[in-house]
Amino acid sequence: MRNIFLIFWISLFSLHLFANVNLIEREIKSHNFDKAKILLEKNPDENIDLWRELGFVYKENDELKKSIFCYEKILNFDSDDYDARLALARLYFETGELATSQKYFQRILDNDETDVEAYLGLARIQKAKKNFLKSIEYYELALKYLPENVPL
């Protein structure tokens, strides 16, 4: 009897969890992005992939601050999420927040000193700052670690 009761509660919880995920996905597909964001905030244990998807659609709709919010949420769940760090570095660059962008690109390099995307991002930042010699150094590092089979 006790096992049946436990199974009942677990299945009820699972139904509630999946119902919320389905509702959030439905709101995203209906382009109700702000409503999806509110639902995700009310359910903080929701899937990181939903935050990623919401961040992506905000970016595609040029709502960069909202996209940044979503990717920062991902890092709250998983501070080592590469894709969220890279997205944030690029988004901060787009919004002109070069110091914050540089911080995120540097964090990527702290984990992997061969990351080509991070070197390219840092090169663009230095170029935007008109520090061309430093920019060239980063471009050279990117070329150094660029896989040989990638066409330029």
Side-chain angles (χ1 to χ4, degrees), residues 64-65 68 85-105 120-129 139:
L64 303 183
K65 293 293 183 184
I68 286 169
R85 281 185 183 175
L86 185 59
L88 283 167
R90 290 174 173 165
L91 286 163
Y92 279 118
F93 180 82
E94 283 187 55
T95 60
E97 297 178 55
L98 300 183
T100 306
S101 176
Q102 185 170 347
K103 177 182 80 169
Y104 279 103
F105 280 125
L120 290 174
L122 290 170
R124 288 183 200 110
I125 289 169
Q126 294 305 317
K127 183 179 175 188
K129 292 179 175 181
Y139 280 125

Side-chain angles (χ1 to χ4, degrees), residues 119 122-142:
Y119 285 119
L122 290 170
R124 288 183 200 110
I125 289 169
Q126 294 305 317
K127 183 179 175 188
K129 292 179 175 181
K130 305 215 182 300
N131 189 350
F132 299 114
L133 291 177
K134 191 69 173 169
S135 179
I136 290 169
E137 286 178 32
Y138 284 127
Y139 280 125
E140 287 174 344
L141 286 166

Side-chain angles (χ1 to χ4, degrees), residues 6-116:
L6 183 61
I7 291 171
F8 171 77
W9 279 109
I10 290 172
S11 63
L12 193 61
F13 175 75
S14 296
L15 281 174
H16 174 71
L17 180 66
F18 290 122
N20 286 336
V21 169
N22 289 335
L23 179 60
I24 294 165
E25 287 176 340
R26 195 169 38 243
E27 293 300 337
I28 291 172
K29 287 178 184 166
S30 300
H31 300 279
N32 297 325
F33 308 127
D34 291 337
K35 190 171 181 182
K37 180 179 168 228
I38 291 168
L39 290 170
L40 273 169
E41 288 175 332
K42 288 182 180 178
N43 298 287
D45 295 332
E46 294 296 347
N47 194 327
I48 287 177
D49 291 334
L50 292 174
W51 281 110
R52 193 179 318 281
E53 184 176 352
L54 189 58
F56 177 78
V57 293
Y58 275 137
K59 161 103 172 60
E60 292 298 305
N61 288 294
D62 288 323
E63 296 187 66
L64 303 183
K65 293 293 183 184
K66 290 179 180 179
S67 182
I68 286 169
F69 176 85
C70 293
Y71 286 109
E72 285 178 344
K73 277 287 198 186
I74 293 169
L75 290 183
N76 288 340
F77 294 118
D78 179 5
S79 62
D80 291 329
D81 190 292
Y82 172 82
D83 293 327
R85 281 185 183 175
L86 185 59
L88 283 167
R90 290 174 173 165
L91 286 163
Y92 279 118
F93 180 82
E94 283 187 55
T95 60
E97 297 178 55
L98 300 183
T100 306
S101 176
Q102 185 170 347
K103 177 182 80 169
Y104 279 103
F105 280 125
Q106 192 57 55
R107 283 186 184 167
I108 291 169
L109 288 176
D110 290 344
N111 283 345
D112 179 7
E113 65 183 30
T114 67
D115 192 282
V116 173

